Amino acid sequence: RHFRAMTTAGRKWAKYRSDFPALTIKPMHLDLHFDVRDERVIVTQNLSLKNVSSKAVTSVALDAKRLVDVKIQMYQKFTPLGESKSTPLDFPGHVASFQDLKEVKSIDIGKESITVELGATIDPGKEFVLKTINTVIPTANILEGIYYDFTLKGMPKTMITQCQQYGFQRICPAIDRMSAKAFFTTTIVADERYTNMISNGDLAPGFFKLSSTGEKVPVFIKEKDGDSKLPSRKVIKYYNHKVNMASYLFFFGVGIYETYTKTLEYPDGSCVDLQLLSLPTETGLTEERKKRRTDQYMAAIQAVHDSVLWTYHSTGPETCEHNEERKEVKRLIDVRETLKAKEVKGESVGEELKKVRADLKKLMGAWKETGYKYTGQTYREIGMQNSNYGGMENVGNTTILQSRLAPTDFISDGAYIYMEAVKIHEFYHNINGSQVTGMTPFEIWLNEAVTVHMERKRSSEIFGEGHIRLSQAARAFIPGSGPLASDSGPRAMPVEPEGFNVTNELITGMTYFKAPEFTRMTELLMGTDLFSKGLHRYHDTYKNSNATSIQWVEAMEDTMKDAGKPFELKVMAHGWLKRSGHPHVTVTVDYDEKSKKLSVKMTQTGFESIKQTMAPEEKGGPWDFGADFKAPWKFPVCWAVVKDGKDTHSGMHIMQKESEVLVVENVNAKPDFFSFARGFSYFGTYSVTTATNDDLALQASTDPDLVNRFLAYRAIADKEKGRLVQLRAKGTKLSPSDVSKEYVTAHASIMQDEKLEGAARALITMEPESVDSLPSLRHQYWYISEAKSTMLAAVFLKHQKEILAKFDTLEKENKAGPHKDQLHERALKGHYLRLAAAATKFEAKLKSEVIPRAERLATSAFMTDRIRGVLYYLTLCEEKERDKKLEQLKKSWGSHMDSCEELVGIISSIDSDDSPKIIEALLSDDIFDINLAGHARRVVRNWAHNRKRSVLTDAGLKLTEILLVTVGKVNQMSAYALLDAFGDVAKFDETQKKKMLDTLKSAQSKLDPSKYTSLYNQIGRLLASTK
């Protein structure tokens, strides 16, 4: 059961599903006491346990990782929780009854578990209580358990926790399993200078007072008998007694924060206190700047407010009902909030408010069952500087990267979109992941996939469905490291793999992209109404407990069956979740003028080459129902027949066999094209072999579906790029004049289409460094990069005057304001500058046009503009000017944590012959902190993405090895992305392949497999794939 550092001899993986049997000992309540000093935390725990097996036990195994001075005792007398008649259970009375401590024998096994010999026999159904005391020594780089975060100089150290997936056992001995759900009482004693001391649950009686608005305000009690030689301390206590939770959701935090508050009022009148805790990243502010900062953070808490209410009225089993009532509820909520603001200013609006509240209650009466409603008194978002994750759902205490917490002056457009998304994502985890929790780490995808799916729905409502879905499709096709590439690469793992070594290996694009795509496919197949009802069925059935992947699938399958629409969803799920890979569909379209029929032949491939089989460890498990690993995938194909830019026929086809034919009847005129798999309706690729370049150009310009406009354009561009790469491979030096007129015209038609939002135009025409049309040349990164620059330069040189004029117009109209208002214009400006920068490689004189414009962007009010401007300036200017500018930036941007991280990203993105030298210098610069996951990730990902330099130059390979080892020894998870750069290693000639493999072997030899198990084994898997 325990999580070992190395794989067991003879086993492929350290962990299989069979290593997570049903609990025999279940935790019921954890009474925790944190004695906090800067250098250590002493944790005292009263751990109430119950024997839930059918046999008597005399010992218990507890997970415990790198704990210091562990002492364990057992209470001989107490009042069992099972005898409590109250609801919730009387946890305070239970704790007060503890008496007569007795020492017990404990055996430390490999510093990751402790076996406790109880000295007594615990019969089935009986409870027992252990007392544990241990010391935790926090660090700044082990981002599990308790660790240090951003701290103001001269102040007590900020400490927070990260317990996903096995961080809690770094805090105290525990049964640290996802299925070990329990209730918690937490007492914290810490320096009185801390502004916030927080944990899960509600403030305990005696530790709060009510404000004039009804908000519960913490009341700290001064520590009795404190050490007079040390800083004075105070005490706070929390009860997490309403909803049980897994230990990976536990949170403890002490720090100095700026606290912003807002009361959320549900339509039924019940209220929740919202809090947003920001790290004090800016000091000595003017009054004007303080007001601006306050407005920005109140905008952030408003975003939380809106997402919480959206979950209530726009999700749940009645998602597709009450549409008119829902519109009115939204309107009245806005009216109510406006009136409440007037009331705060002293205006007399009492009667109006009363009526609006009554109308809201009446409207909500139409619902038999709403979406999820928060059960606690306070919901917090807490800014953090350092984490392996962008956000974490710590039941009532969501931690979010400070740089993604609020729409500040330092947030980029991509980060702003993420900011809105992460708020709904982490809140929705309250029902999907916390209230209903996956049974084992193999169900991490289950906690995340539905949550991401709901996050996408909310983001679509905020930013537009077309823009969000196009962004997701574009992300799927990112070369080398994107979800599609990862799913077919040498390190590919299924969504639910047969095994794993450490749980961080499960935090991948498969979990956060492929799995949500499977969820989306399930909704397309079921329809939104049935999907919502099936999801409710799942959440209701497993409320306050755990569920397996199969149980989620069965809930959906049973919902379809009850509706008279049976479907073998379990078989479909097996194909998508239990094996790597995805379908490529070859499509041929034939129109018969005489019969007015359109015949679409579809043939899927990919399944026939799958080598996976069921692991022996999975025999007899939930997935052992006879599914064929080599069976074709089952998936929905959304389609349309398009004529003159309009859909004449549309529908959805469920593809289940290797080859199928779809016949569309009553097509009265030959269509312009057939739009296949609209909206990226399945996770995979396709090619329409009967489509000519003219057909693709027309589709790229007129398809009502944005994703298929993108894919049609990509087909044109990729074919052109492939042609240029072949030319380059023959020794031809590429010139913009080599680029076809058809490509330039197709690019311009998208770029100039005023009907399309600017971000869509920029995203569709942004050229990746890949060539999917010629897999045999996919590894020729230098040629691909040259072809890309040549193509973009050809577009610019053809439309130079217009592009510069439009850039100047957009830049002139640029003004400070909400991020959302000019998001599309900034994307288009960025694309114009990208085109111009590419052209400077062929006409150096153009630098005089581009560099001044880059400098103008660098002074913009918006971070996205500033990042683009600085990057292009540093890339295009002379080395002396570049170095001078870098020193200036280190002083200005390096002084703020958010802009400093962006600067690290910019420096590691510079694409020049001396990039390795620049990045190696960055590693030793004062602005770079390798302990910060955000810094390390930026450098690693940017360098890994630059594959032509990171693996195809000697200096680049040297830097790649340095990063693998130095970053990996600090944080293995931050180093993973470097391995993606080696995805095509098998394609190279023997000389280059040897250089790349030698780099991997050398890096691996410098990693202790007992300390850096995951990274060591990941490199090993990559090396093994080349044999």
Side-chain angles (χ1 to χ4, degrees):
R1 184 173 66 79
H2 300 293
F3 202 79
R4 295 181 174 84
M6 289 296 293
T7 55
T8 306
R11 283 164 47 117
K12 182 179 177 182
W13 303 101
K15 287 293 174 185
Y16 292 90
R17 184 176 283 279
S18 56
D19 293 307
F20 298 89
L23 293 175
T24 55
I25 304 296
K26 181 177 176 59
M28 300 182 72
H29 178 249
L30 286 75
D31 176 42
L32 300 168
H33 182 281
F34 290 83
D35 175 350
V36 182
R37 296 290 184 191
D38 266 7
E39 70 284 357
R40 57 81 182 147
V41 180
I42 297 175
V43 183
T44 302
Q45 170 187 218
N46 294 313
L47 175 60
S48 300
L49 300 159
K50 183 177 182 179
N51 180 1
V52 293
S53 72
S54 59
K55 297 179 181 179
V57 298
T58 58
S59 65
V60 60
L62 300 177
D63 299 296
K65 192 166 187 177
R66 300 188 182 181
L67 301 177
V68 178
D69 300 330
V70 180
K71 181 181 180 181
I72 303 179
Q73 300 169 293
M74 183 172 172
Y75 289 102
Q76 303 302 299
K77 295 181 181 179
F78 62 92
T79 302
L81 279 168
E83 296 179 10
S84 175
K85 305 297 183 184
S86 64
T87 303
L89 297 174
D90 183 10
F91 298 110
H94 172 65
V95 172
S97 73
F98 297 160
Q99 297 181 55
D100 297 345
L101 277 170
K102 179 183 177 182
E103 297 293 328
V104 293
K105 182 180 180 182
S106 60
I107 305 169
D108 190 357
I109 301 176
K111 296 185 179 180
E112 293 197 5
S113 66
I114 297 173
T115 294
V116 182
E117 300 292 343
L118 301 174
T121 300
I122 310 298
D123 291 325
K126 295 299 182 180
E127 300 176 30
F128 60 105
V129 182
L130 299 177
K131 180 176 183 178
T132 71
I133 303 174
N134 63 270
T135 300
V136 176
I137 309 298
T139 70
N141 70 294
I142 299 176
L143 307 183
E144 275 191 331
I146 302 173
Y147 66 92
Y148 297 126
D149 202 36
F150 173 83
T151 302
L152 285 174
K153 188 175 181 180
M155 289 294 164
K157 290 185 177 180
T158 301
M159 299 183 205
I160 59 174
T161 56
Q162 172 56 255
C163 293
Q164 183 172 321
Q165 205 66 48
Y166 290 111
F168 191 75
Q169 59 194 261
R170 288 180 178 269
I171 297 174
C172 60
I175 297 177
D176 197 7
R177 287 269 297 274
M178 292 168 70
S179 57
K181 302 181 83 168
F183 298 92
F184 290 73
T185 298
T186 305
T187 303
I188 304 171
V189 184
D191 196 304
E192 66 178 1
R193 290 173 292 174
Y194 285 124
T195 58
N196 301 80
M197 296 159 49
I198 48 186
S199 190
N200 310 89
D202 300 326
L203 289 163
F207 289 89
F208 68 86
K209 63 181 179 181
L210 294 177
S211 69
S212 58
T213 60
E215 177 187 357
K216 287 192 173 182
V217 179
V219 172
F220 296 97
I221 298 174
K222 188 175 179 63
E223 180 190 25
K224 296 178 181 178
D225 304 320
D227 189 333
S228 60
K229 297 179 182 179
L230 295 171
S232 298
R233 300 195 298 176
K234 57 188 178 182
V235 185
I236 198 76
K237 180 181 283 190
Y238 292 88
Y239 284 173
N240 192 81
H241 295 175
K242 293 179 183 176
V243 179
N244 60 359
M245 68 180 190
S247 51
Y248 80 87
L249 296 166
F250 176 78
F251 183 76
F252 152 88
V254 291
I256 294 173
Y257 297 91
E258 299 167 359
T259 301
Y260 302 87
T261 63
K262 181 179 178 66
T263 299
L264 179 143
E265 183 178 344
Y266 278 104
D268 65 1
S270 59
C271 294
V272 173
D273 297 328
L274 300 179
Q275 293 183 358
L276 191 145
L277 276 56
S278 168
L279 292 168
T281 56
E282 297 179 80
T283 57
L285 300 178
T286 64
E287 288 304 313
E288 182 182 354
R289 181 71 189 98
K290 284 181 183 177
K291 181 181 183 304
R292 178 168 172 76
R293 183 174 170 86
T294 298
D295 290 344
Q296 289 168 339
Y297 280 90
M298 289 309 296
I301 208 168
Q302 182 66 43
V304 179
H305 173 276
D306 295 346
S307 284
V308 171
L309 288 177
W310 178 86
T311 304
Y312 179 73
H313 60 57
S314 293
T315 68
E318 298 170 40
T319 295
C320 294
E321 303 170 43
H322 324 301
N323 291 329
E324 293 305 313
E325 290 92 340
R326 187 175 290 108
K327 289 178 185 176
E328 184 63 7
V329 165
K330 290 179 182 178
R331 187 189 72 81
L332 286 178
I333 286 173
D334 289 341
V335 172
R336 184 192 65 195
E337 295 305 302
T338 300
L339 290 173
K340 286 166 68 175
K342 290 181 178 180
E343 188 175 50
V344 169
K345 294 177 181 178
E347 296 185 35
S348 179
V349 294
E351 287 303 313
E352 290 178 80
L353 256 179
K354 185 177 179 182
K355 183 179 184 308
V356 169
R357 284 172 169 148
D359 288 345
L360 277 169
K361 285 185 179 180
K362 184 177 180 181
L363 279 167
M364 292 308 300
W367 275 260
K368 294 178 182 178
E369 191 84 42
T370 65
Y372 172 77
K373 184 179 180 185
Y374 187 63
T375 59
Q377 296 169 351
T378 304
Y379 180 74
R380 297 183 193 88
E381 284 190 347
I382 305 155
M384 57 182 175
Q385 183 185 25
N386 202 10
S387 176
N388 284 327
Y389 309 101
M392 178 63 201
E393 69 281 11
N394 310 294
V395 182
N397 294 284
T398 287
T399 46
I400 295 176
L401 288 175
Q402 178 71 23
S403 59
R404 305 294 188 270
L405 189 64
T408 67
D409 294 340
F410 302 100
I411 197 169
S412 67
D413 291 345
Y416 170 66
I417 293 171
Y418 179 92
M419 182 208 82
E420 289 282 6
V422 75
K423 294 186 184 309
I424 181 61
H425 180 105
E426 304 304 344
F427 180 77
Y428 194 80
H429 266 313
N430 279 287
I431 184 171
N432 195 79
S434 302
Q435 190 166 287
V436 181
T437 308
M439 187 69 73
T440 73
F442 290 97
E443 275 80 27
I444 287 177
W445 81 267
L446 184 54
N447 289 353
E448 297 299 335
V450 172
T451 304
V452 170
H453 187 57
M454 290 300 173
E455 164 205 316
R456 290 172 169 185
K457 286 176 178 278
R458 173 65 179 153
S459 294
S460 294
E461 187 168 294
I462 297 171
F463 298 103
E465 184 176 0
H467 174 66
I468 292 299
R469 191 57 183 160
L470 176 60
S471 300
Q472 291 157 5
R475 180 187 165 197
F477 287 89
I478 291 173
S481 60
L484 288 168
S486 297
D487 191 38
S488 55
R491 294 193 306 120
M493 289 178 71
V495 170
E496 187 181 307
E498 64 182 24
F500 61 91
N501 294 314
V502 299
T503 50
N504 280 348
E505 294 171 358
L506 305 175
I507 309 300
T508 66
M510 299 305 96
T511 295
Y512 287 89
F513 197 97
K514 186 178 182 181
E517 288 300 319
F518 166 71
T519 305
R520 185 178 186 273
M521 287 187 279
T522 301
E523 178 173 341
L524 283 173
L525 189 146
M526 296 178 70
T528 300
D529 184 47
L530 279 185
F531 177 82
S532 301
K533 288 177 168 57
L535 200 53
H536 174 70
R537 183 180 200 146
Y538 166 74
H539 288 146
D540 192 52
T541 301
Y542 301 103
K543 186 176 182 179
N544 300 329
S545 62
N546 299 82
T548 64
S549 302
I550 285 291
Q551 287 170 330
W552 184 87
V553 173
E554 287 175 343
M556 295 301 188
E557 204 170 50
D558 290 345
T559 301
M560 295 183 76
K561 184 178 179 181
D562 291 349
K565 300 178 180 180
F567 185 81
E568 291 185 331
L569 191 61
K570 197 182 295 184
V571 176
M572 173 179 162
H574 180 275
W576 286 103
L577 302 177
K578 292 301 296 178
R579 60 186 184 180
S580 298
H582 48 266
H584 175 77
V585 182
T586 301
V587 183
T588 60
V589 182
D590 179 62
Y591 176 66
D592 189 319
E593 181 75 38
K594 185 175 180 181
S595 65
K596 305 298 183 186
K597 291 181 180 180
L598 188 76
S599 297
V600 183
K601 184 178 180 181
M602 303 164 284
T603 302
Q604 61 166 303
T605 55
F607 61 89
E608 71 287 345
S609 59
I610 288 175
K611 297 178 181 179
Q612 293 163 242
T613 58
M614 181 168 286
E617 290 83 358
E618 292 193 294
K619 296 287 186 181
W623 290 104
D624 188 8
F625 55 84
D628 183 3
F629 274 83
K630 285 186 175 291
W633 284 276
K634 298 176 184 288
F635 52 91
V637 175
C638 296
W639 58 268
V641 178
V642 182
K643 181 72 173 177
D644 298 329
K646 296 179 181 179
D647 297 348
T648 62
H649 303 70
S650 62
M652 185 179 72
H653 174 78
I654 308 298
M655 191 164 188
Q656 305 187 62
K657 301 176 183 177
E658 179 179 357
S659 291
E660 298 182 19
V661 177
L662 168 68
V663 177
V664 185
E665 299 186 344
N666 301 316
V667 181
N668 295 323
K670 184 179 181 180
D672 290 339
F673 51 85
F674 182 77
S675 187
F676 182 82
R678 306 189 104 191
F680 195 51
S681 68
Y682 68 89
F683 182 80
T685 58
Y686 72 86
S687 57
V688 182
T689 58
T690 49
T692 65
N693 270 5
D694 288 343
D695 294 334
L696 292 171
L698 186 60
Q699 184 173 12
S701 299
T702 63
D703 196 328
D705 181 66
L706 262 184
V707 171
N708 273 355
R709 287 188 73 171
F710 164 72
L711 292 176
Y713 174 80
R714 286 262 35 87
I716 296 169
D718 201 65
K719 194 178 294 185
E720 177 66 9
K721 197 187 304 173
R723 186 182 68 82
L724 293 173
V725 169
Q726 287 177 315
L727 268 180
R728 185 67 186 86
K730 292 175 182 177
T732 303
K733 185 176 180 181
L734 298 180
S735 164
S737 61
D738 293 319
V739 179
S740 70
K741 292 180 180 179
E742 289 78 11
Y743 166 76
V744 174
T745 300
H747 188 119
S749 69
I750 299 289
M751 184 176 63
Q752 297 166 347
D753 188 349
E754 298 292 340
K755 294 178 182 178
L756 276 181
E757 292 176 325
R761 285 186 263 169
L763 198 53
I764 291 172
T765 53
M766 182 177 66
E767 203 56 52
E769 289 198 352
S770 63
V771 56
D772 297 329
S773 60
L774 290 172
S776 62
L777 294 177
R778 195 175 65 189
H779 61 298
Q780 298 289 358
Y781 307 139
W782 281 107
Y783 297 165
I784 293 169
S785 180
E786 289 178 38
K788 167 191 169 179
S789 297
T790 307
M791 292 163 67
L792 296 180
V795 174
F796 180 80
L797 294 173
K798 174 69 174 177
H799 301 279
Q800 176 178 340
K801 187 176 180 180
E802 176 190 355
I803 288 170
L804 293 179
K806 288 195 172 184
F807 176 93
D808 292 342
T809 299
L810 289 172
E811 180 56 17
K812 186 177 179 180
E813 294 171 352
N814 181 23
K815 58 183 182 299
H819 282 76
K820 187 179 173 183
D821 289 356
Q822 300 169 73
L823 189 148
H824 294 286
E825 288 77 6
R826 286 191 295 276
L828 203 51
K829 274 191 303 185
H831 184 63
Y832 291 151
L833 201 61
R834 182 186 302 123
L835 294 170
T840 63
K841 295 182 179 181
F842 300 92
E843 294 188 16
K845 64 181 182 181
L846 286 172
K847 288 185 179 181
S848 63
E849 297 280 4
V850 182
I851 290 176
R853 288 175 169 84
E855 289 184 290
R856 278 160 54 192
L857 277 192
T859 61
S860 169
F862 297 96
M863 196 65 182
T864 288
D865 281 346
R866 298 200 295 272
I867 291 169
R868 287 182 180 134
V870 167
L871 179 57
Y872 283 117
Y873 179 86
L874 294 176
T875 301
L876 296 175
C877 68
E878 297 300 323
E879 183 177 346
K880 186 177 179 180
E881 285 301 311
R882 182 193 69 196
D883 293 344
K884 180 181 176 182
K885 184 67 173 179
L886 276 174
E887 291 308 310
Q888 293 173 353
L889 288 166
K890 287 174 186 178
K891 292 177 182 177
S892 55
W893 288 36
S895 61
H896 189 282
M897 70 164 67
D898 296 347
S899 55
C900 183
E901 184 176 319
E902 294 294 354
L903 181 57
V904 167
I906 288 171
I907 294 172
S908 55
S909 296
I910 295 173
D911 187 12
S912 68
D913 290 340
D914 56 353
S915 290
K917 183 183 72 174
I918 294 169
I919 295 173
E920 196 165 352
L922 171 66
L923 300 182
S924 58
D925 197 286
D926 289 342
I927 69 164
F928 181 77
D929 185 348
I930 199 169
N931 291 314
L932 295 178
H935 284 203
R937 276 196 303 261
R938 288 292 183 102
V939 172
V940 163
R941 290 176 181 176
N942 290 341
W943 183 239
H945 187 68
N946 192 355
R947 293 181 292 178
K948 63 182 180 293
R949 299 190 189 277
S950 60
V951 296
L952 294 188
T953 65
D954 291 345
L957 280 170
K958 180 183 175 183
L959 175 61
T960 298
E961 181 181 343
I962 290 170
L963 289 172
L964 261 175
V965 175
T966 54
V967 172
K969 285 185 175 181
V970 175
N971 188 322
Q972 297 175 75
M973 194 173 180
S974 294
Y976 287 161
L978 281 165
L979 301 181
D980 292 331
F982 294 84
D984 293 323
V985 62
K987 291 179 176 291
F988 289 97
D989 61 48
E990 290 305 314
T991 301
Q992 182 59 37
K993 185 191 297 185
K994 184 178 186 304
K995 288 182 178 181
M996 294 167 71
L997 295 180
D998 285 349
T999 298
L1000 289 171
K1001 290 173 183 176
S1002 179
Q1004 189 186 45
S1005 71
K1006 295 170 184 174
L1007 298 170
D1008 183 340
S1010 66
K1011 292 181 179 179
Y1012 312 110
T1013 310
S1014 180
L1015 185 58
Y1016 185 94
N1017 288 342
Q1018 289 286 334
I1019 295 173
R1021 287 184 65 211
L1022 189 53
L1023 290 169
S1025 72
T1026 64
K1027 294 178 181 178

